[in-house]
Amino acid sequence: MCRWLAYRGEEIFLDDLITRPDHSLIAQSRRCEQAKVDMNGDGFGLGWYGERPIPGLYRDTQPAWGDENLRSLTHQIKSNLFFAHVRASTGTATSRANCHPFAVGRYLFMHNGQIGGYEQVRRPVEALIDDHHYQFRVGTTDSEALFLAMLSHGLAEDPYRSMQTVLNKVRQIMLAAGVKSALRVTAALSDGERLYALRYSSDQVVPSLYYRLCNRSLTVVSEPLDTGEAQWHAVPTGHFLSFGGIAAPSFMPLDIPELADRAFVPA
């Protein structure tokens, strides 16, 4: 499973979160603590917003801990909204096109998790992508397919409804194909103004996701970046988070029937 972080708040240097903390994202790429695999060496990526509405991207296939350019960029770039991701492949190729985050227009998206049995359901899942957005399909991951399907289902008008609709449709496709593996998703999305995230699993093994609000700045992470556990709070399972930088983040429950009446354990 991958590890990622998303930040929205006061403008800071990227390395304040990506490289400097004791359990930074770079440290997690070598050894994470709350995932099935402890190393995330199948590529990495940065996405950030600056003076223009279209986000910048830097992605590569080598492990994050071995890229000197990554450290140099994060030391120099300042942003009030950025994403970072270290990848552990769930089966698709290690290529730049498969590294997160993904960008279409002003949108950034990244994901940790999996569509269980993706090789069995890839075609019907890709059929959720309309013709206009399919032109942006350059990789082979289930993550990129989810993003483009969400764009095809009204992401610009209503991110909450779009993300929920696509997860419901994907889960129904999996059930119709007899897939017994789970659909697991922690994802981050931004349009350059607001930060959105969600946490969901169709079984009892839920990918970890935390948030910290400090001085109207929100950090959302797969794992806490330091030992200040009291500052970090788990994003509730089966919930959608929205944050615009003024008030505290809001949480909305996902209306996916399989979530009802089950006890969850962290993954």
Side-chain angles (χ1 to χ4, degrees), residues 39 53 58 74 91 95 114 184 222 262:
M39 186 173 291
Y58 177 58
T74 60
S95 67
Q114 64 180 9
R184 299 187 183 124
S222 295
R262 292 193 293 131

Side-chain angles (χ1 to χ4, degrees), residues 48-157:
W48 69 95
Y49 293 90
E51 298 299 319
R52 295 173 173 169
I54 304 302
L57 276 184
Y58 177 58
R59 302 183 295 175
D60 210 338
T61 57
Q62 64 178 311
W65 65 79
D67 190 287
E68 294 181 359
N69 293 320
L70 175 62
R71 292 185 179 274
S72 180
L73 286 171
T74 60
H75 185 66
Q76 293 294 338
I77 295 173
K78 295 182 77 173
S79 175
N80 68 348
L81 206 173
F82 61 87
F83 287 7
H85 187 282
V86 291
R87 183 172 183 249
S89 172
T90 55
T92 49
T94 300
S95 67
R96 187 175 286 117
N98 285 343
C99 290
H100 308 224
F102 304 101
V104 174
R106 71 180 191 272
Y107 290 98
L108 276 178
F109 177 86
M110 61 185 174
H111 168 235
N112 169 45
Q114 64 180 9
I115 298 176
Y118 184 57
E119 66 282 354
Q120 298 174 241
V121 299
R122 177 175 173 176
R123 285 194 66 180
V125 168
E126 289 191 334
L128 298 175
I129 306 170
D130 63 25
D131 290 343
H132 171 71
H133 291 99
Y134 198 83
Q135 67 180 304
F136 303 109
R137 178 70 156 149
V138 295
T140 58
T141 64
D142 53 353
S143 304
E144 185 188 45
L146 284 172
F147 177 38
L148 297 177
M150 291 168 183
L151 285 166
S152 302
H153 286 76
L155 190 63
E157 292 76 31

